[in-house]
């Protein structure tokens, strides 16, 4: 099954998949990322769309081009992504969590216990794009 | 890719009338070179008629159809730049697949023999059997091989998959992406199996009853509509002011597809109201758009009645 869904433009999803792999450490800084044609073939998407996703990351400084060789992850890219994601964390994860907890009548104290438990048992996510 | 280049395909006010029907009703289109287009629509919408005119196999009642700025009709130089694979492509009766490929290789100057051979192996195509003895799927495979290996500057595939099973269709799509990435060219895919090809398309054109219903970049379309489900009253309040593409109701529940790109705040609001939001795949979007437009035109009141 494809990891690409219909909810958003594909180029954004491609950019996000690459970001995920940088954040998880799957792709290291200064290492090469697959070419846009490889992304296109792997995800079965239009090559122009794949290129648009990669270019988005070049514009934001996450990736850089080495002429005639390919795309590489910039030094500091992971820290940059982590900073952005931390900012979005409350909004993206805590707010919906709190909403659902309220709906189910879970108290703040109960929620704290659950989160503490999950933090100590859950495996860190390490899913790759390839 | 130079955006200022002559469009690969340019159509201006194209009309094709038969005795009592307008197969093409004032169509205007401009398709830039080196992209993969989806030409979508129902049976009898006018897709094949349009492609026939664009490939010089038919002529228009009025209006213009230009290929790289030239009318292709009886214009050999332009025709040699186009490959048109029809749904039921015909070949000379006693030809084998090998002979059909030899003929194609003489006609198309960019013909890639190795690509043709590789595809034949993947499709397990019997090369020495006469084409008229081939199965429906094998016949389609011959068309796909010619369409791909011709590497024509513009290639039209008109429902090329009849009889091809899911595995063979996937081979076609995968090889198309690979080969297009290496050798960019203009590809027009006409298909009913929209879900299968949605992610391959860069631009989508939808025709219905001889008219253009949609002419948009695929990425712009993606996420341009959303289905809202839940309590009918809450749904009605939430979607107020948006263009409705489709409505379903079940008792106190409603599911409504609206044309909207929701903000994060709106999504949260929906969640707080207990409404479910879901993505609308391209296929649904095409179906909804086509049907909504058709309803609007024939009975303008019917949409009002639904409100």
């Amino acid at each position: 099954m494809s990891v690409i869904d219909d909810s958003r433009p594909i180029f954004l999803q491609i950019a996000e998949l690459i970001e995920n792999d940088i954040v998880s450490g799957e792709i290291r800084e200064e290492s090469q990322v697959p070419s846009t044609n490889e992304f296109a073939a792997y995800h079965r998407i239009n090559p122009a769309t794949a290129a648009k996703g990669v270019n988005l990351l070049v514009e934001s400084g996450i990736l850089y081009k080495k002429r005639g060789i390919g795309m590489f992850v910039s030094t500091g890219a992971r820290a940059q992504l982590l900073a952005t994601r931390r900012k979005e964390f409350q909004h993206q994860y805590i707010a919906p969590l709190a909403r659902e907890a309220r709906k189910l009548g879970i108290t703040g104290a109960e929620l704290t216990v659950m989160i503490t438990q999950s933090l100590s048992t859950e495996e860190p996510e390490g899913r790759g794009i390839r | 890719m130079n955006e200022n280049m002559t469009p690969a395909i340019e159509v201006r006010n194209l009309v094709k009338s038969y005795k009592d029907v307008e197969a093409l009703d004032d169509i205007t289109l401009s398709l830039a070179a080196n992209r993969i287009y989806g030409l979508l629509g129902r049976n009898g919408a006018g897709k094949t008629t349009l492609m026939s005119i664009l490939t010089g196999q038919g002529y228009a009642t009025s209006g213009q159809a230009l290929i790289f700025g030239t009318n292709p009709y009886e214009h050999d130089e332009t025709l040699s730049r186009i490959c048109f694979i029809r749904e039921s492509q015909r070949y000379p009766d006693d030809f084998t697949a090998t002979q059909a490929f030899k003929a194609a290789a003489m006609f198309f100057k960019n013909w890639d023999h190795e690509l043709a051979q590789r595809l034949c192996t993947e499709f397990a195509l019997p090369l020495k059997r006469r084409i008229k003895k081939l199965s429906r799927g094998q016949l389609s495979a011959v068309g796909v091989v010619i369409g791909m290996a011709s590497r024509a500057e513009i290639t039209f595939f008109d429902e090329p998959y009849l009889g091809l099973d899911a595995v063979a269709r996937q081979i076609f799509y995968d090889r198309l992406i690979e080969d297009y990435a290496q050798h960019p060219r203009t590809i027009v895919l006409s298909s009913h199996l929209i879900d299968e090809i949605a992610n391959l398309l860069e631009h989508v054109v939808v025709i219905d009853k001889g008219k253009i219903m949609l002419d948009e970049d695929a990425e712009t379309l993606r996420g341009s509509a959303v289905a809202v489900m839940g309590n009918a009253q809450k749904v009605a309040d939430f979607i107020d002011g948006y263009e409705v593409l489709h409505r379903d109701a079940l008792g106190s529940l409603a599911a409504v597809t609206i044309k909207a790109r929701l903000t994060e705040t709106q999504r949260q609001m929906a969640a707080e109201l207990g409404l479910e939001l879901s993505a609308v795949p391209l296929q649904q979007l095409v179906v909804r758009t086509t049907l909504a437009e058709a309803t609007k035109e024939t009975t303008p009141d019917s949409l009002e009645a639904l409100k």
Side-chain angles (χ1 to χ4, degrees):
Chain A
M1 210 186 74
S2 173
V3 287
I4 303 288
D5 66 55
D6 293 308
S7 61
R8 294 170 303 141
I10 295 177
F11 78 96
L12 291 177
Q13 300 184 51
I14 290 295
E16 215 163 84
L17 285 168
I18 301 171
E19 284 181 2
N20 284 346
D21 278 2
I22 296 171
V23 168
S24 72
E26 197 82 21
I27 313 179
R28 295 189 181 283
E29 290 179 1
E30 295 306 326
S31 70
Q32 189 170 5
V33 297
S35 72
T36 55
N37 288 349
E38 284 171 320
F39 275 118
Y42 182 76
H43 292 292
R44 297 180 159 148
I45 57 172
N46 188 296
T49 312
K52 209 173 156 190
V54 169
N55 285 336
L56 194 69
L57 296 181
V58 172
E59 279 163 31
S60 60
I62 300 294
L63 301 180
Y64 68 94
K65 269 181 213 177
K66 272 191 199 169
R67 209 179 257 273
I69 306 177
M71 295 288 177
F72 289 78
V73 180
S74 311
T75 297
R78 186 164 183 270
Q80 187 185 331
L81 288 172
L82 280 177
T84 319
R85 294 216 169 173
R86 275 167 181 265
K87 261 187 235 160
E88 290 166 357
F89 186 73
Q90 162 101 25
H91 183 65
Q92 253 191 340
Y93 294 94
I94 303 298
L97 178 83
R99 195 162 51 231
E100 187 69 12
R102 216 178 298 131
K103 209 193 282 176
L104 302 179
I106 297 170
T107 66
E110 285 172 313
L111 200 56
T112 314
V113 172
M114 287 182 199
I115 290 172
T116 315
Q117 268 176 2
S118 291
L119 277 174
S120 59
T121 55
E122 289 292 308
E123 290 290 318
E125 190 187 357
R127 190 169 52 88
I129 43 162
R130 304 220 61 170
Chain B
M1 271 177 266
N2 186 350
E3 292 290 334
N4 297 323
M5 275 177 4
T6 317
I9 297 169
E10 179 133 52
V11 174
R12 289 189 211 123
N13 306 109
L14 196 70
V15 173
K16 174 74 179 180
S17 319
Y18 294 104
K19 259 183 199 154
D20 46 357
V21 265
E22 302 264 286
L24 295 176
D25 188 359
D26 196 17
I27 282 191
T28 296
L29 259 185
S30 179
L31 305 183
N34 299 338
R35 294 192 187 158
I36 303 181
Y37 295 90
L39 181 59
L40 314 175
R42 307 176 67 179
N43 280 334
K47 300 178 305 243
T48 303
T49 308
L50 176 60
M51 286 188 280
S52 297
I53 294 169
L54 288 172
T55 52
Q57 300 188 8
Y59 53 90
T61 306
S62 65
Q64 267 189 316
L66 304 175
I67 296 289
F68 297 116
T70 306
N71 182 352
Y73 195 71
E74 293 188 341
H75 194 273
D76 288 346
E77 197 200 313
T78 303
L79 291 174
S80 71
R81 303 167 77 178
I82 312 172
C83 180
F84 183 20
I85 303 299
R86 286 171 171 274
E87 182 180 0
S88 29
Q89 184 69 44
R90 301 287 296 268
Y91 303 91
D93 264 354
D94 53 351
F95 261 35
T96 62
T98 305
Q99 287 169 317
F101 298 149
K102 273 194 183 138
M106 288 199 291
F107 187 75
F108 296 107
K109 60 179 190 298
N110 298 331
W111 179 265
D112 187 311
H113 182 63
E114 270 171 40
L115 177 62
Q117 276 186 319
R118 200 158 63 100
L119 288 167
C120 287
T121 311
E122 286 191 277
F123 288 128
L125 200 58
L127 294 172
K128 295 197 174 112
R129 201 176 298 167
R130 288 190 180 179
I131 291 180
K132 65 176 173 185
K133 301 255 162 133
L134 295 180
S135 73
R136 182 61 250 201
Q138 290 168 332
L139 186 63
S140 290
V142 172
V144 166
V145 172
I146 292 176
M148 295 271 296
S150 69
R151 292 230 177 97
E153 286 169 78
I154 306 180
T155 308
F156 295 87
F157 286 105
D158 187 8
E159 314 272 352
Y161 46 68
L162 218 67
L164 287 182
D165 60 30
V167 176
R169 294 202 300 274
Q170 194 61 63
I171 292 171
F172 169 42
Y173 305 142
D174 286 354
R175 294 299 160 263
L176 183 65
I177 297 176
E178 274 175 27
D179 201 62
Y180 167 81
Q182 300 298 326
H183 305 273
R185 53 204 195 264
T186 306
I187 310 262
V188 180
L189 278 174
S190 166
S191 178
H192 285 123
L193 306 175
I194 303 175
D195 276 339
E196 287 190 359
I197 60 161
N199 292 357
L200 310 188
L201 307 177
E202 192 173 343
H203 194 95
V204 175
V205 175
V206 178
I207 348 187
D208 194 45
K209 298 192 185 104
K211 287 194 167 76
I212 305 272
M213 291 287 137
L214 206 61
D215 176 7
E216 191 116 48
D217 274 351
E219 287 284 79
T220 311
L221 283 175
R222 221 163 257 122
S224 69
V226 63
V228 186
M229 279 161 287
N231 175 282
Q233 189 53 52
K234 284 182 181 167
V235 170
D237 291 343
F238 187 79
I239 63 159
D240 191 37
Y242 288 106
E243 184 189 339
V244 172
L245 292 176
H246 184 73
R247 280 170 205 267
D248 272 323
L250 179 68
S252 64
L253 290 175
V256 180
T257 306
I258 53 170
K259 204 133 192 158
R261 215 176 274 280
L262 299 181
T263 62
E264 199 49 48
T265 321
Q266 287 172 308
R267 288 183 176 277
Q268 282 189 14
M269 202 169 91
E272 271 156 31
L273 288 168
L275 299 176
E276 293 270 349
L277 299 177
S278 63
V280 182
L282 186 68
Q283 170 140 331
Q284 286 296 318
L285 201 61
V286 168
V287 171
R288 298 301 184 219
T289 310
T290 315
L291 291 180
E293 290 292 326
T295 326
K296 248 185 236 166
E297 272 177 22
T298 49
T299 48
D301 297 336
S302 59
L303 271 184
E304 286 302 315
L306 282 168
K307 283 184 180 164

